[in-house]
């Protein structure tokens, strides 16, 4: 980053924090009353989800269940991918921005038979995607130290509007992990703090702001990365045993069903007493916990299946996608891009062989279509 850009970014962050601390601190978010997700279109979708699904071949249904990383600097290849494979979602990592400028994403949506979810991970701090375009966002730990939940909600509204104006529909944020790790650790300053109640207040406030702006928030990393040993980019981390997670890291998820429309990202985390040594992202027990204990009815997406050794060391991508969807994920995510035909070939063969039950596919596709407002539930 040039010195000029650095000074500009620092000034913006400073202004945000000065504005925050100069205002009185209202009470934390109420326990009820989360606002609904605004409609992204002026009118209700005309077709039912059953009708939309009936119009899709098996391969097109399976394509709805993948989110593929694309090069945000290459509009042409992104359009080609969606036109050819009709994937359900695309994901932009890195710092390129061409696809987020000048309405380029309208070209992508124009070739999609079903609207495409467009996802980024714009948390703030060291994980953000539109800072070059629309200014920097402070880290979770920074805003929790200087703002109250109402101010964080306003921050979410502003960021959501900026994302939505560029065509982004989904933000893989906020982080719901409870952590007191050093700032630069794998979670570190990406967490709102070490107190579960404070993490919940701030994370749900930011998520509410995103949702009010028409961007779907995705909470992460279930069932809790904040006290895990290891970085899933390099190894399969292990969390504390499930009873300890339930008493700390999982507490923010108690409000999940009440919050309503949102997604949850399931992490590559081995949980003693739950996942039997497998990553939660591939564990049926982890998805049952999310659905049955925390009553989550929205889209569950995996953490990155293609660029983290917690997965790649044991499973090739097509197999990992199958294992995740069979376990209970609704979307298999890989940031590395490519491999779509191989993944869809494997999923299609799994359905034919009885490895991936058709009812599991229908359930997942229904959730994905509803989340994208692609049909009437």
């Amino acid at each position: 980053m040039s010195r000029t850009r650095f000074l500009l970014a620092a000034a913006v962050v400073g202004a945000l924090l000065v504005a925050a601390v100069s205002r009185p601190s209202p009470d934390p978010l109420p326990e009820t009353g989360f606002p609904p997700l605004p409609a992204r279109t002026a009118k209700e979708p005309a077709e039912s989800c059953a009708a939309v699904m009936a119009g899709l071949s098996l391969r097109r249904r399976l394509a709805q269940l993948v989110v593929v990383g694309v090069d945000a600097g290459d509009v042409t290849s992104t359009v080609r991918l969606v036109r050819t494979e009709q994937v359900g979602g695309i994901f932009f990592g890195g710092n390129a921005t061409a696809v987020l400028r000048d309405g380029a994403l309208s070209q992508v949506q124009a070739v999609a038979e079903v609207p495409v979810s467009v996802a980024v991970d714009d948390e703030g701090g060291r994980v953000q995607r539109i800072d070059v375009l629309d200014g920097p966002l402070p880290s979770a730990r920074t805003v929790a130290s200087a703002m109250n939940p109402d101010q964080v909600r306003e921050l979410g509204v502003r960021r959501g509007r900026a994302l939505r104006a560029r065509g982004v529909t989904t933000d893989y944020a906020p982080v719901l992990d409870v952590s007191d790790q050093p700032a630069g650790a794998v979670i570190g300053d990406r967490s709102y703090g070490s107190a579960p109640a404070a993490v919940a207040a701030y994370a749900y406030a930011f998520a509410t702001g995103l949702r009010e702006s028409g961007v779907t928030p995705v909470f992460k990393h279930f069932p809790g990365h904040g006290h895990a040993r290891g970085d899933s980019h390099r190894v399969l981390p292990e969390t504390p045993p499930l009873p300890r997670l339930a008493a700390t890291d999982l507490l923010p998820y108690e409000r999940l069903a009440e919050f309503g429309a949102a997604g949850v990202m399931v992490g590559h985390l081995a949980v003693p007493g739950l996942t039997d040594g497998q990553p939660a992202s591939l564990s049926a027990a982890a998805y049952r916990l999310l659905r049955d204990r925390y009553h989550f009815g929205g889209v569950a997406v995996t953490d990155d299946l293609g660029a983290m050794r917690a997965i790649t060391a044991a499973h090739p991508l097509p197999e990992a996608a199958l294992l995740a969807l069979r376990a209970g994920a609704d979307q298999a995510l890989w940031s590395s891009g490519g491999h779509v035909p191989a993944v869809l070939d494997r999923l299609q063969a799994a359905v034919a062989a009885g490895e991936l039950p058709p009812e599991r596919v229908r359930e997942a596709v229904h959730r994905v279509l509803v989340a994208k407002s692609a049909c009437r539930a």
Side-chain angles (χ1 to χ4, degrees):
M1 177 184 288
S2 69
R3 178 174 175 80
T4 300
R5 280 183 58 199
F6 175 81
L7 292 174
L8 178 60
V12 173
V13 173
L16 282 169
L17 297 182
V18 168
V21 299
S22 66
R23 296 173 54 184
S25 297
D27 293 334
L29 286 179
E31 291 302 317
T32 59
F34 292 119
L37 178 66
R40 292 197 183 119
T41 56
K43 52 189 178 182
E44 192 75 12
E47 289 190 279
S48 69
C49 288
V52 173
M53 280 194 278
L56 298 174
S57 67
L58 173 61
R59 192 174 182 88
R60 289 293 192 244
R61 292 185 194 185
L62 294 168
Q64 287 297 307
L65 306 184
V66 301
V67 181
V68 185
V70 296
D71 181 357
D74 190 340
V75 178
T76 301
S77 66
T78 303
V79 171
R80 184 186 307 117
L81 169 70
V82 173
R83 178 190 292 115
T84 303
E85 303 294 351
Q86 293 297 318
V87 294
I90 54 177
F91 168 77
F92 299 118
N95 297 314
T97 60
V99 180
L100 298 173
R101 296 174 183 264
D102 305 319
L105 279 168
S106 63
Q107 300 175 47
V108 177
Q109 296 290 0
V111 300
E113 297 171 6
V114 177
V116 180
S117 67
V118 178
V120 296
D121 48 357
D122 194 61
E123 304 170 11
R126 50 193 161 115
V127 182
Q128 55 185 304
R129 295 294 169 249
I130 61 169
D131 46 317
V132 173
L133 300 174
D134 296 307
L137 191 67
S139 71
R141 184 171 292 180
T142 297
V143 299
S145 69
M147 298 183 183
N148 60 55
D150 277 356
Q151 292 161 348
V152 175
R153 177 174 171 167
E154 293 171 8
L155 192 65
V157 168
R158 292 196 297 272
R159 196 59 163 197
R161 287 174 180 164
L163 290 167
R164 192 72 187 122
R166 296 188 178 280
V168 173
T169 68
T170 303
D171 189 2
Y172 291 149
V175 169
L176 210 52
D177 296 324
V178 178
S179 181
D180 58 0
Q181 293 175 350
V186 58
I187 299 301
D189 62 358
R190 300 166 65 194
S191 167
Y192 288 100
S194 59
V199 169
Y202 283 106
Y204 283 105
F206 187 74
T208 298
L210 290 175
R211 197 170 66 175
E212 287 178 346
S213 301
V215 171
T216 299
V218 176
F219 298 103
K220 61 186 186 186
H221 308 79
F222 185 86
H225 205 316
H227 292 100
R229 296 190 304 273
D231 179 349
S232 53
H233 293 87
R234 299 180 176 87
V235 297
L236 175 59
E238 183 174 298
T239 73
L242 182 59
R244 183 178 162 194
L245 279 189
T248 52
D249 300 62
L250 281 164
L251 287 178
Y253 289 93
E254 296 282 354
R255 300 181 70 184
L256 197 58
E258 174 196 355
F259 184 80
V264 167
M265 178 177 285
V266 180
H268 307 319
L269 303 162
V271 183
L274 180 68
T275 68
D276 195 25
Q278 291 295 309
S281 54
L282 308 184
S283 166
Y287 291 99
R288 284 196 299 270
L289 180 71
L290 179 62
R291 301 294 184 192
D292 297 344
R293 171 63 182 84
Y294 297 99
H295 308 292
F296 177 65
V299 170
V301 59
T302 69
D303 206 341
D304 191 341
L305 296 173
M308 294 184 168
R309 286 193 57 77
I311 299 295
T312 60
H315 304 287
L317 177 59
E319 199 68 21
L322 169 60
L323 292 172
L325 294 173
R326 189 168 66 188
D330 303 307
Q331 290 179 323
L333 163 70
W334 65 94
S335 68
S336 52
H339 308 288
V340 177
V343 170
L344 295 182
D345 287 347
R346 181 66 183 99
L347 296 179
Q348 199 164 358
V351 174
E355 295 177 90
L356 181 59
E359 58 270 22
R360 173 81 270 273
V361 175
R362 284 193 296 270
E363 174 188 54
V365 174
H366 184 270
R367 287 197 187 112
V368 168
L369 294 176
V370 169
K372 295 195 291 187
S373 300
C375 55
R376 288 184 289 105

